[in-house]
Amino acid sequence: PPGVALKTDIVVIGGGQAGLSAAYHLKQAGLEPRKEFVILDAASAPGGAWQFRWPSLTLSTVNRIHDLPGQPFSDMASGETHVQARVAVPRYFAAYEHTFDLRVLRPVRVTLVSRRGDRFRVEIDRGDFFARGLINATGTWDAPYIPVYPGAERFQGQHLHTRDYRTAQAFAGQHVVIVGAGISALQLLGEISMVTTTTWVTRQPPVFREGPFDDQAGRAAVALVEDRVRAGLPPQSVVSVTGLPVTPAVGEMRARGVLRRHPMFTEITGDGVRWADGSEVRADVILWCTGFRSSLDHLAPLMLRGPDAEGGIVMTGRLATQVASDPQIHLVGYGPSASTIGANRAGRAAASELLASLALR
Ligand code: FAD
């Protein structure tokens, strides 16, 4: 749009929880949106990845959506536990962007970022932005992860990922193999097993957490992931550090007998899956609830990943948001900050550290 500075101080890539938090703090520090900093978001409407979540994920079935800085979510959503997260959160983000006049540019997808001397060249489909600092907040939704198993291409049924799920009714009359031991796997297993037959497979036996998940446990879980990214290792899944909460829904699934977990199959056949001992299950759908990776492909020219096969990025800074090899880049919503509360804190730390290192405020 006219009036947008193509040469700017900071580009924020992504307008979800992490990007909006960073933008809020840049603006609080006195930077003018669309002039001294620009937020580019690939989605066509506010809401980050929340606008794409499945309809049955309501405010009562999400873990917890933390307030963005400066305007509580509860102001807009008190008592609305039955409301779909994909409706309530985008509505909140839209109001938030308006209140703080953040002037997000969308839909604008960043395709590549490279170095041009002391600036970053941020390429979009219709031109370039040039910035001195970068806050990347692109989340994980665009990078669904499906592990490779022999025979996958032979399968005549459907391979689906968590991100494709809309409603359990779509599977009526089909046999669904559900893969994964995370919160989403459990939630979808619970819903789909109400309408049809299921087989649940996981690599490791799921670890249920019977006790409450208090602040201390939360901090300990975040610290584990933070240690990993500071050492340049890829962040691991949230569930691997927190365990699965035993919700009333889990109790109900136990009672119905659907929480019968099988070990991982070793092969996919034309019409199902096969285990090492030769046993088989026929399947119409394999639903991979196997999580997401960080959506960072557009940063490939910057060569941030280490040379080893694990391909992590060495992170530093107060909350481990700063890329050690290129301090003018911050990754927010990555690793230890991949939660709504973490994204908030990361946005604040990244904004203040980047402003200081660019000597802007
Ligand atoms: P996102 O919300 O994914 O926002 C990223 C934005 O970047 C999107 O708008 C996207 O369009 C944009 N983008 C991506 N690539 C580009 C590009 N190349 N150029 C421009 N823009 C781009 N966390 C909690 O704290 N509580 C919960 O209850 C909870 N429930 C969850 C349920 C599910 C099913 C999932 C998958 C995650 C859940 N999380 C939850 C984790 C939570 O979603 C994240 O921590 C947080 O919302 C992510 O915010 P974000 O800003 O990092 O990413």
Side-chain angles (χ1 to χ4, degrees), residues 13-20 40-45 47-54 57 61-66 93 106 108-111 136-142 162 184 187 238 292 295 298 332-334 337-343:
I13 309 177
Q17 186 103 8
L20 293 185
L40 309 176
D41 186 38
S44 52
W50 288 102
Q51 64 196 289
F52 307 113
R53 305 274 203 250
W54 54 91
L57 195 67
T61 52
V62 294
N63 289 339
R64 168 153 189 225
I65 295 162
H66 212 269
F93 283 13
R106 62 165 65 89
V108 179
R109 179 171 292 278
V110 172
T111 50
N136 191 83
T138 47
T140 59
W141 191 254
D142 291 337
T162 316
S184 303
Q187 227 172 60
V238 181
F292 296 82
S295 179
H298 54 289
V332 293
Y334 174 79
S337 63
S339 68
T340 54
I341 186 167

Side-chain angles (χ1 to χ4, degrees), residues 263-297:
M264 207 51 216
F265 47 77
T266 46
E267 195 188 341
I268 299 171
T269 63
D271 63 356
V273 296
R274 183 182 295 144
W275 281 265
D277 65 4
S279 58
E280 291 188 37
V281 159
R282 208 196 57 74
D284 300 292
V285 176
I286 304 176
L287 180 56
W288 299 92
C289 299
T290 37
F292 296 82
R293 296 288 183 260
S294 303
S295 179
L296 298 176
D297 286 355

Side-chain angles (χ1 to χ4, degrees), residues 1 9 24 77 95 111 120 249 258 331 358:
D9 288 319
Y24 169 89
T111 50
F120 295 102
V258 293
L331 307 182
L358 295 173

Side-chain angles (χ1 to χ4, degrees), residues 17-18 21 25 50 63-69 93 213-215 218-219 222 319 332-333 335-349:
Q17 186 103 8
S21 168
H25 290 290
W50 288 102
N63 289 339
R64 168 153 189 225
I65 295 162
H66 212 269
D67 297 336
L68 281 161
F93 283 13
F213 194 64
D214 53 18
D215 285 355
R219 275 194 296 274
V222 167
L319 294 183
V332 293
S337 63
S339 68
T340 54
I341 186 167
N344 267 4
R345 294 181 183 141
R348 182 189 189 122

